[in-house]
Amino acid sequence: MRMQAAKLQPGDILVKTLIWGFLILVCIYCLIPFAWMLSTSLKTEAEAFRMPPTWIPLKLTADSYIGIWVRKNFGIYFFNSTIISLATAVLSTFFGALAGYGFSRFFFRGRRFLIGFFLATQMLPGVLLVGPYFKILSKVGLYDTRTGLIIAFLTICLPFSTWMMKGFIDKVPDELDQSAMVDGCSRLGIFFKIVLPIVAPGMVATILFAFLLAWGDLLWALCLTSSESMITVTLGIARTVGEFRIIWPMLMAGSLVGGMPAILLYIFLQRLLVQGLTAGAVKE
Amino acid sequence: MKKIFTISVFMAVIIIVFSFNSAMAEQVTLRFSDWHLTEDVWNKSLNEGMDIFHKQYPNIKVVLEPVSYGEKETKYTVESAAGRAPDVFHVHAFSLPMFFGKGFAKDLTPFIEKEGSGFLDAWYPLPIKLMKHNGKMHAMPGDYMTMVLFYNTNMFKACGLDPDKPPKTTDEFLAYAKKLTRDTNGDGKVDQWGFGTVGAKSPGFSMRFGPFLWSFGADYLTPDMKRSALDTPEAKEAFAFFVELYTKHKVVPPGLTAMNPQEVRTQLAQKKVAMIMGSGWTPPIVNKINPDLNAFEVLQCAPAPVKRKQATAIWLSSWVMSPSTKHPNEAWQLMKFITSKDIELKWFVDNRVTSSRKDVSGVAPEILNDKFASVMASQLPYGKVEPQIKQWPEIMDTFTTSLQEAIVGMKSPEKALSEAHERINAILAR
Amino acid sequence: MWIKDRHMWMVFVLPGVILLVLVLGWPAITSILYSFETEQAGDAAYTLANYKSLLKDPFFSTTFWNTTVFVFFSVALHMILGLAVAMVLNSALPAKPMFRVIALLPWVVPDVVAGIIWKWMYDPIYGALNDLLIKIGLLNNPIEWLSNPKLAMTSAILVNLWRGFPFVMLILLAGLQSIPRHLYEAAAIDGAPKLQQFIHITLPGLKKMIVVALALDIVWEVRRFGLIQAMTQGGPGVLTEVLSTYTYKQYFKFFRFEYASAISVVMTIVLLLVSLPYIWMISQEE
């Protein structure tokens, strides 16, 4: 156990209180909008517009939750978003980890330039790139496909994933690699069997980042798809903001349900990667 | 570890390979896009319209592509630039100069000529004029409405104002607004305001400000549209009048610069304001927001208040054909259909929007007998439109920036307006 | 393997490079070239006209300043809050998984949705935030969070803090988890106070991750668009106009493609210069 003192002293109690107080404040800060979202999602449309607002709905209804699935094709949006975001997350983390390892262990010429290049590709705003990218996709027939979107998101995520994974892999001592190579292990073998398990917590962060980037994107999903069967969750939610009215309960319900996969993914990754693999890995 | 990764990557690759869209079967298929497809009532109406179209033209299939209101220009721009815009799509008339300038709208003259002479006579002249680029029709006019003053008759009565005598002049309007701004529940805080309006950077802003500006006898630009006309005394008067509604008389609710049309309608629906500028869409939306208000009964509308002359803003939407369409003739059939007399009447009956067709808005009993539509139609002759030049969005953005700065008190109205005047001149001088 | 070990970097690094160059190469080049064209001259002439206009544009300098303020405070607050929360979540705490999920929640809401929700919550008349603060007695009158010129940027930054700190927190948490425990144990046995442990064990151990988090967050915050656009559209006036919203306006509202490209190129160059120290630090040989 970390941070254990031999005896419980008054200073410790003060520190503990402060820490708990801080934690509670942070939780409130994080949760208040969600409380509001939940409350609104359970209201009727009319009550959502009430001035002054009600925190506890006067009339509880799950209508919006049913509505998004039944009236608004949420099932299709969900399917698309899940496939696209998962594929982006897995591929981005995989290729990012590969590149991160390469940058971490090898000191080749042009290394610094390439590291900077990766980051530099993200400095041009998507607003400019989406137009020409759209043209390319049309020419190769990938317009209005999930594949086209996956590739687009990959190129946005990959530099971030690379930087993140490099940072995590840097902390794994090179001696482990060397001793494994002496034992006859190949570089790729070291990568898969030794390094990746150790950086599992970092992989969780990287996978989640890529997943959320792909899931929450609006601009690319908007411009690179046109048919109803390709709509993503975020795009679908944006549609509830119409010209004339915002269907608040549905917007809230859609947002809450849309946030679920990321949370589930996080919990799943924590179990699978961190607990399953790093047990004992950090102790030297 | 390696196994998990290999399997995951393998799966991801399989997912990618199988998510290629399969090729569409060969048939004349038209892509039709409209933001109204994301609205429940409109969506139903449009689908019904399409069913009628499919029966009349069985060889054409129309695929509906909804797009969210806020994102439509983004989407159409990107698609048009890549030559992949929908065959027919719906835009605001004020977007047209930019689409025309970039060549994103097809010249419709050959199709119109084939319809015979006098085809365009069925429409009001102003919408037709706005569809032209270099003298040629590049779009077809759609919904055509005017902005009018909506007010809550119950709130009028509660303040001792006669609901059958709405304010006619801007002075009356201000007096009414002051009377309607009060504390209704006795807790010492004002919770009802006389007038709700848009102050955010939104297309709806200029439609609500224009009537004031023009009614004072001022205008945004000189008639040749080459210079700003905001340095006239009338313009300064109008600008100050509007700003002072908020800063001095406080008849407008707080937080004006964040108000979109949606928030304003909500304020009316929730009885927070007594009057707003609105149009045909206002009563149904207000009714949906707060059914208890009984919007269709309680609301009334009147022409915009007058200072020196009667003027109001128009709302016009239009249909564009993509120049890269592979089926121009069929696309024209679709455009002709959605702007035809019967279907235009259907749009009114379903959605309360008046048409740019004279033979509908000026004649149909459904419109003339409707308490709202009749007022709006009566104002059509006084409708003014903003300059249809491609710099207009930037000019309006600059103007709204200055207005917001005056509203929140960063600058005096005179200073803000003169800054706007100079910046607009700089934009036009490019 | 038939590849010499010192050439193995290619196996690891090149797939990513090839993907980036293939997909982003042409769009990036066309965008940059666009910035040298003008609408009047057409494709033929390449000029610096757009850049000259940029220098004279009064809105550009305001936007640039706003972006600097926005990014600086957002990133700084992200780092502080992210580190604090990461440390708490790394300590002996009951119900850790639950708190970790809570701390992650703001991150799962897309930018545009978060902007819309917060705008609504900030509303002076029917916003939940004012209502709540008045109900619990912290306020007497509603605050105009997004309309008051003194508060607008601060309100936007507070939302961005909410939205973005989980990213930093997650990176730093992973970094904290990789600091070997025995270092702390040894220090505790030696009687070193917590503050000392923090300065001499935690911070050095986290150094690389802090650099990564800083660099990535800076780039990310300069790109932050949907959040601000949905909340204020850059207003009131131009008080919350940042480079991303300004570029978007120029491109999609005013159709000034060439000018938008020029703004983006300038933005890119500035970002590159700012991130050079981080690129240097992250590529240091240990």
Side-chain angles (χ1 to χ4, degrees):
Chain A
M1 285 293 255
R2 280 175 252 148
M3 292 198 194
Q4 251 184 352
K7 274 193 302 215
L8 211 55
Q9 303 185 328
D12 286 337
I13 298 186
L14 179 64
V15 167
K16 269 203 168 30
T17 321
L18 282 176
I19 291 181
W20 271 100
F22 172 70
L23 191 62
I24 304 272
L25 276 176
V26 170
C27 284
I28 295 180
Y29 183 46
C30 290
L31 283 175
I32 285 197
F34 282 93
W36 179 244
M37 285 166 77
L38 185 64
S39 158
T40 307
S41 70
L42 293 169
K43 292 181 184 169
T44 60
E45 220 187 308
E47 196 187 335
F49 283 110
R50 234 174 139 263
M51 298 173 173
T54 52
W55 278 85
I56 305 192
L58 296 171
K59 181 171 170 227
L60 267 178
T61 164
D63 194 48
S64 54
Y65 285 98
I66 303 173
I68 52 177
W69 295 99
V70 166
R71 292 202 300 272
K72 292 265 178 210
N73 273 331
F74 215 64
I76 299 182
Y77 306 163
F78 219 81
F79 176 71
N80 288 331
S81 279
T82 308
I83 291 207
I84 294 171
S85 306
L86 266 183
T88 305
V90 166
L91 289 170
S92 162
T93 307
F94 177 65
F95 286 108
L98 270 183
Y101 182 81
F103 283 128
S104 175
R105 298 307 197 227
F106 301 95
F107 298 93
F108 50 92
R109 280 175 66 162
R111 172 179 171 268
R112 193 159 271 172
F113 168 76
L114 273 183
I115 291 179
F117 168 75
F118 266 59
L119 193 61
T121 55
Q122 295 318 300
M123 297 180 188
L124 271 175
V127 164
L128 279 185
L129 300 173
V130 77
Y133 185 65
F134 176 77
K135 276 195 201 152
I136 298 179
L137 274 194
S138 303
K139 285 210 168 69
V140 298
L142 281 178
Y143 170 70
D144 202 34
T145 61
R146 284 175 282 262
T147 312
L149 272 181
I150 293 174
I151 297 180
F153 292 143
L154 247 186
T155 51
I156 303 177
C157 289
L158 188 60
F160 290 100
S161 303
T162 307
W163 269 63
M164 284 163 78
M165 290 310 295
K166 176 184 182 304
F168 295 123
I169 293 177
D170 276 347
K171 313 240 43 201
V172 180
D174 197 36
E175 293 81 52
L176 289 179
D177 294 40
Q178 300 299 334
S179 58
M181 283 203 288
V182 160
D183 286 346
C185 199
S186 71
R187 277 292 189 181
L188 281 174
I190 298 173
F191 175 71
F192 281 111
K193 293 191 209 144
I194 300 181
V195 173
L196 281 187
I198 300 181
V199 296
M203 279 208 303
V204 172
T206 314
I207 293 177
L208 210 53
F209 170 79
F211 184 85
L212 283 172
L213 188 148
W215 187 279
D217 169 88
L218 185 58
L219 182 68
W220 296 77
L222 173 76
C223 297
L224 303 180
T225 63
S226 66
S227 52
E228 187 68 16
S229 58
M230 284 294 145
I231 307 285
T232 62
V233 168
T234 305
L235 198 52
I237 294 178
R239 293 232 193 120
T240 60
V241 181
E243 174 184 12
F244 297 136
R245 39 189 264 266
I246 304 180
I247 315 174
W248 286 110
M250 255 197 227
L251 175 63
M252 298 294 127
S255 308
L256 283 174
V257 173
M260 285 291 99
I263 301 286
L264 292 173
L265 181 68
Y266 175 69
I267 297 177
F268 171 72
L269 286 176
Q270 280 286 105
R271 291 244 158 140
L272 173 70
L273 291 180
V274 179
Q275 265 138 265
L277 299 166
T278 56
V282 178
K283 278 261 193 305
E284 301 190 329
Chain B
M1 192 66 223
K2 182 170 185 170
K3 270 207 194 121
I4 297 179
F5 254 90
T6 323
I7 293 177
S8 315
V9 174
F10 187 63
M11 274 173 53
V13 170
I14 297 232
I15 289 174
I16 289 188
V17 166
F18 277 102
S19 62
F20 268 86
N21 244 5
S22 53
M24 297 272 279
E26 302 281 63
Q27 54 181 321
V28 176
T29 307
L30 291 179
R31 290 170 51 207
F32 172 82
S33 183
D34 187 343
W35 72 82
H36 285 142
L37 288 165
T38 61
E39 320 257 345
D40 286 337
V41 175
W42 264 107
N43 185 23
K44 182 157 163 284
S45 179
L46 277 164
N47 271 291
E48 286 168 4
M50 288 304 147
D51 287 339
I52 304 174
F53 180 77
H54 283 138
K55 289 206 185 74
Q56 281 184 23
Y57 295 92
N59 62 317
I60 307 178
K61 171 137 174 56
V62 180
V63 170
L64 302 177
E65 288 180 11
V67 64
S68 54
Y69 176 68
E71 273 76 45
K72 62 186 179 313
E73 277 95 18
T74 308
K75 191 152 184 4
Y76 296 154
T77 310
V78 171
E79 289 181 322
S80 298
R84 291 217 43 151
D87 298 288
V88 177
F89 55 97
H90 200 188
V91 288
H92 293 302
F94 59 71
S95 304
L96 286 179
M98 294 181 307
F99 278 85
F100 291 164
K102 293 279 172 196
F104 291 162
K106 193 170 173 68
D107 186 356
L108 300 173
T109 318
F111 304 107
I112 295 177
E113 277 169 4
K114 274 200 215 129
E115 299 293 331
S117 70
F119 175 71
L120 293 178
D121 290 346
W123 282 269
Y124 288 104
L126 182 58
I128 294 292
K129 177 160 152 253
L130 295 172
M131 303 291 118
K132 287 196 177 152
H133 177 57
N134 295 335
K136 298 198 183 151
M137 293 285 287
H138 277 74
M140 284 299 286
D143 311 324
Y144 186 40
M145 294 182 282
T146 55
M147 299 299 286
V148 292
L149 187 72
F150 277 85
Y151 58 96
N152 183 324
T153 51
N154 286 345
M155 286 163 105
F156 267 36
K157 286 184 216 155
C159 292
L161 296 167
D162 186 348
D164 293 323
K165 290 206 173 73
K168 289 214 171 58
T169 68
T170 47
D171 294 330
E172 272 175 30
F173 167 76
L174 181 57
Y176 275 55
K178 281 190 191 162
K179 258 196 141 171
L180 290 157
T181 303
R182 59 200 190 103
D183 167 21
T184 51
N185 58 2
D187 64 353
K189 288 187 245 183
V190 172
D191 46 29
Q192 178 186 300
W193 290 267
F195 183 57
T197 187
V198 173
K201 288 186 184 169
S202 144
F205 166 73
S206 59
M207 287 199 297
R208 289 158 177 82
F209 182 78
F212 286 100
L213 184 70
W214 293 318
S215 173
F216 273 71
D219 204 346
Y220 295 104
L221 303 181
T222 54
D224 63 3
M225 302 201 276
K226 292 230 163 52
R227 284 186 51 85
S228 155
L230 293 172
D231 53 351
T232 61
E234 292 86 10
K236 294 182 193 164
E237 239 192 307
F239 192 82
F241 178 78
F242 191 85
V243 171
E244 283 170 5
L245 285 176
Y246 184 76
T247 54
K248 191 161 138 197
H249 306 293
K250 302 202 195 296
V251 296
V252 180
L256 177 60
T257 55
M259 297 296 162
N260 282 325
Q262 175 58 15
E263 273 107 33
V264 175
R265 283 188 285 263
T266 307
Q267 288 167 354
L268 183 68
Q270 300 292 353
K271 302 189 216 160
K272 290 290 162 191
V273 297
M275 303 188 277
I276 70 167
M277 296 292 286
S279 192
W281 52 73
T282 307
I285 297 171
V286 168
N287 190 44
K288 196 91 213 262
I289 295 176
N290 185 7
D292 290 337
L293 179 72
N294 238 327
F296 289 105
E297 306 277 320
V298 166
L299 292 182
Q300 223 349 331
C301 70
V306 177
K307 176 80 177 176
R308 295 193 177 97
K309 52 185 208 168
Q310 188 104 17
T312 187
I314 59 156
W315 160 259
L316 180 63
S317 75
S318 52
W319 303 97
V320 172
M321 190 191 299
S322 163
S324 53
T325 177
K326 298 199 173 58
H327 311 287
N329 292 317
E330 287 81 1
W332 172 249
Q333 298 299 336
L334 182 59
M335 278 176 89
K336 202 172 96 167
F337 174 79
I338 40 186
T339 56
S340 64
K341 182 164 159 201
D342 295 328
I343 299 299
E344 284 284 324
L345 187 56
K346 176 177 166 57
W347 300 147
F348 172 74
V349 170
D350 292 344
N351 308 298
R352 328 301 304 169
V353 292
T354 49
S355 164
S356 44
R357 289 186 72 115
K358 271 193 297 213
D359 52 7
V360 174
S361 288
V363 161
E366 291 90 337
I367 291 182
L368 294 177
N369 291 332
D370 181 274
K371 81 169 172 175
F372 300 115
S374 53
V375 176
M376 294 185 327
S378 76
Q379 293 300 298
L380 282 172
Y382 304 107
K384 267 183 78 91
V385 70
E386 291 148 29
Q388 295 286 88
I389 49 176
K390 68 175 195 311
Q391 300 97 320
W392 186 248
E394 196 178 350
I395 292 176
M396 202 20 88
D397 185 81
T398 305
F399 181 77
T400 320
T401 299
S402 295
L403 183 78
Q404 286 185 341
E405 288 174 342
I407 286 176
V408 299
M410 280 169 69
K411 300 181 177 148
S412 72
E414 298 84 44
K415 180 149 195 300
L417 187 62
S418 69
E419 275 182 4
H421 174 74
E422 277 165 34
R423 289 182 189 146
I424 293 176
N425 279 333
I427 294 173
L428 288 167
R430 281 194 208 126
Chain C
M1 287 211 88
W2 58 95
I3 305 180
K4 280 219 187 80
D5 186 64
R6 69 166 191 277
H7 293 317
M8 274 300 279
W9 68 266
M10 290 196 250
V11 170
F12 287 97
V13 173
L14 282 186
V17 174
I18 292 174
L19 176 71
L20 286 174
V21 170
L22 265 183
V23 178
L24 289 184
W26 186 68
I29 295 178
T30 33
S31 306
I32 297 177
L33 283 180
Y34 228 165
S35 73
F36 294 105
E37 298 171 17
T38 59
E39 240 183 323
Q40 293 83 31
D43 289 330
Y46 286 121
T47 75
L48 285 175
N50 292 319
Y51 294 97
K52 286 194 206 135
S53 313
L54 260 184
L55 289 173
K56 283 188 283 180
D57 185 346
F59 288 135
F60 179 69
S61 47
T62 313
T63 308
F64 195 86
W65 172 247
N66 287 343
T67 312
T68 311
V69 167
F70 180 75
V71 172
F72 177 79
F73 282 104
S74 294
V75 174
L77 289 172
H78 282 164
M79 297 301 293
I80 297 174
L81 186 62
L83 182 59
V85 176
M87 284 179 58
V88 170
L89 291 181
N90 196 36
S91 65
L93 193 70
K96 240 197 292 201
M98 179 190 81
F99 284 114
R100 284 189 181 170
V101 169
I102 292 181
L104 208 51
L105 279 179
W107 205 26
V108 310
V109 181
D111 257 7
V112 175
V113 176
I116 295 175
I117 294 173
W118 273 94
K119 172 165 187 251
W120 193 32
M121 284 178 39
Y122 271 152
D123 189 289
I125 304 188
Y126 65 140
L129 190 62
N130 281 318
D131 185 61
L132 188 67
L133 292 175
I134 291 178
K135 274 202 175 92
I136 61 178
L138 276 178
L139 277 185
N140 271 329
N141 286 310
I143 297 184
E144 295 175 30
W145 299 93
L146 293 176
S147 318
N148 188 328
K150 298 198 193 80
L151 284 180
M153 180 55 98
T154 310
S155 306
I157 293 177
L158 280 179
V159 177
N160 200 21
L161 172 63
W162 177 86
R163 173 90 183 84
F165 90 89
F167 173 58
V168 173
M169 181 213 68
L170 212 53
I171 294 184
L172 294 181
L173 183 60
L176 282 174
Q177 285 168 329
S178 71
I179 298 179
R181 265 156 264 194
H182 69 250
L183 291 177
Y184 289 111
E185 286 160 9
I189 292 175
D190 284 349
K194 296 282 169 60
L195 189 59
Q196 287 265 35
Q197 291 182 27
F198 177 72
I199 297 179
H200 293 292
I201 303 176
T202 313
L203 280 186
L206 270 186
K207 182 171 152 228
K208 266 264 155 75
M209 296 327 298
I210 290 181
V211 170
V212 169
L214 268 175
L216 295 187
D217 202 28
I218 290 177
V219 173
W220 197 244
E221 294 311 325
V222 175
R223 288 168 64 104
R224 182 79 68 183
F225 165 71
L227 192 66
I228 306 173
Q229 181 72 3
M231 274 202 297
T232 63
Q233 293 99 49
V238 280
L239 282 175
T240 57
E241 187 89 83
V242 290
L243 283 174
S244 56
T245 54
Y246 194 57
T247 310
Y248 179 84
K249 244 180 13 183
Q250 297 289 340
Y251 196 90
F252 285 116
K253 300 269 180 236
F254 308 161
F255 278 41
R256 295 179 71 199
F257 302 155
E258 300 81 8
Y259 195 60
S261 302
I263 300 174
S264 308
V265 170
V266 170
M267 194 164 120
T268 307
I269 295 178
V270 171
L271 255 183
L272 259 176
L273 290 172
V274 165
S275 52
L276 276 179
Y278 300 106
I279 300 175
W280 186 266
M281 279 193 266
I282 198 79
S283 52
Q284 281 293 79
E285 309 186 10
E286 299 267 301

